[in-house]
């Protein structure tokens, strides 16, 4: 089993899921990008919640049409965040706050 509240457990489970697959390179690229975010920076304060929201939405996609819509909407959100970082604004009066995140999935026991 693993602890859904443990960063190390979550990383290990994700790493083991993608190990030896083409997605392992995607995970590496995501991690390489994330290491560039400086703790406490305006960019970090905007990007981390955006990544959380995008990730939660992405895992719920069911078909290619949903994926296309998600891609278009995500690009709009990313452009908005980039503009806010560029302008030094941490909040924007033109965008609504993101919806609350979905509840975490139930615990899963891994074989082994």
């Amino acid at each position: 089993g693993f602890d859904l509240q443990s960063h190390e457990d979550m990383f290990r489970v994700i790493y083991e899921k993608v190990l030896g697959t083409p997605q392992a390179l995607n995970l590496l690229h995501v991690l390489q990008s994330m290491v560039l975010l400086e703790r406490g920076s305006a960019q970090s304060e905007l990007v981390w919640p955006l990544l959380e929201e995008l990730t939660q939405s992405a895992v719920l996609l069911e078909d290619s049409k949903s994926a296309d819509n998600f891609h278009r909407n995500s690009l709009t959100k990313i452009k908005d965040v980039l503009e806010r970082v560029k302008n030094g604004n941490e909040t924007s009066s033109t965008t609504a706050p993101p919806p609350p995140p979905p509840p975490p999935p139930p615990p899963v026991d891994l074989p082994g």
Side-chain angles (χ1 to χ4, degrees), residues 24-40:
L25 188 57
N26 298 121
L27 175 61
L28 179 60
H29 290 162
V30 168
L31 295 172
Q32 289 169 338
S33 296
M34 299 311 301
V35 79
L36 298 175
L37 290 175
E38 295 295 330
R39 183 190 299 207

Side-chain angles (χ1 to χ4, degrees), residues 34-95:
M34 299 311 301
V35 79
L36 298 175
L37 290 175
E38 295 295 330
R39 183 190 299 207
S41 69
Q43 180 186 26
S44 178
E45 297 299 319
L46 293 168
V47 170
W48 280 107
L50 174 64
L51 288 171
E52 179 182 10
E53 180 183 348
L54 293 174
T55 303
Q56 289 171 345
S57 298
V59 299
L60 299 176
L61 296 176
E62 296 180 5
D63 56 41
S64 62
K65 184 176 179 182
S66 297
D68 289 341
N69 289 336
F70 172 76
H71 187 257
R72 277 193 300 281
N73 293 335
S74 297
L75 289 175
T76 300
K77 287 181 182 186
I78 291 167
K79 288 176 184 176
D80 179 54
V81 167
L82 292 174
E83 188 64 28
R84 288 163 49 195
V85 168
K86 179 180 167 186
N87 293 332
N89 299 327
E90 292 196 26
T91 60
S92 172
S93 59
T94 61
T95 60

